[in-house]
Amino acid sequence: MDEEGGAPRLNRYQLQSIEKSLFELTRKQKSQAVPVDLPVPAFWSSVGQLLHHLEMELAETIRDEGMSAKAQLKSRRLGIIRTCVSDLTRLRLNAFTQHAVLSNLLKSPQGDAMSVSASFQSLDWERHDPSERAYHSGVGHLVEKYKHEVSWNALLRGSTIEIPGAPEISGHAPLTEFTEQDEKVSAPTPAAVRTPQSGNWEDPEFDEEDRIRQMDGFPDRATGAAPAAPVGEAPAEEESGLRRILILQDLSEPIIAEDGSEITLTAGDVESCPTPIADNLIAAGLAEPAPL
């Protein structure tokens, strides 16, 4: 065993195998988020023997040959291996730290390790260095201390204070509690339904005096007397119930026809209106016949 302990003294061929394993392990660890298994149990002790062996060879070469090309080549080889050791150490410590933090945060509040997600990869400590396991355990203790200081469980699951539920809202008592059983509650009678006013035109009743009075109010207008149709020939307009008239004055309000439609009359328009409406407009001096 060497002074640093952990691994037996290795020969030249075993040291070359450790050197190859060092580069291979660094390449694998760069692409993995979890720590990669070590190729030998006492890997870091073996790497220490490799570096010590290379330093001894370099010192002997410089003592015998000076800083020759061979010495420079060995010095460069030693520097590359040390750089690889530094990179591998950084990658593995990051992986162990991440694994320790995640495995601790995924535990239940009681610390039950069985509550960790099944998809989370556990570590086989037989394939890792004891110093790495001690580092992993130390990170776990620091995480536990942090969780205790910030009240981690209370932040995630809340305090133990019970929140009272919403009070039940009871409805009003039925009306039967305030009335006698033999009494009948009279229902209010619905209000009388108003019948909508009919939209049909109602012919105003005009007597002869009203007609003469309206004609006196417009002496300059035509009397509205339509020429009598020949006996035996009924106009086509009267057969259809319409009469063609010429509007002489604008009407401020539309006229409602028998079918309920509104007719807006403007001075100068020629309209075919129902005969009663046409007669009234002619009698009022607002229109005059306009036969074809």
Side-chain angles (χ1 to χ4, degrees), residues 30 76 270 283:
K30 287 181 179 179
R76 182 179 179 183
V270 178

Side-chain angles (χ1 to χ4, degrees), residues 149-163:
E149 291 179 353
V150 301
S151 302
W152 172 262
N153 295 331
L155 292 176
L156 292 185
R157 295 167 179 82
S159 59
T160 57
I161 301 176
E162 296 183 359
I163 301 176

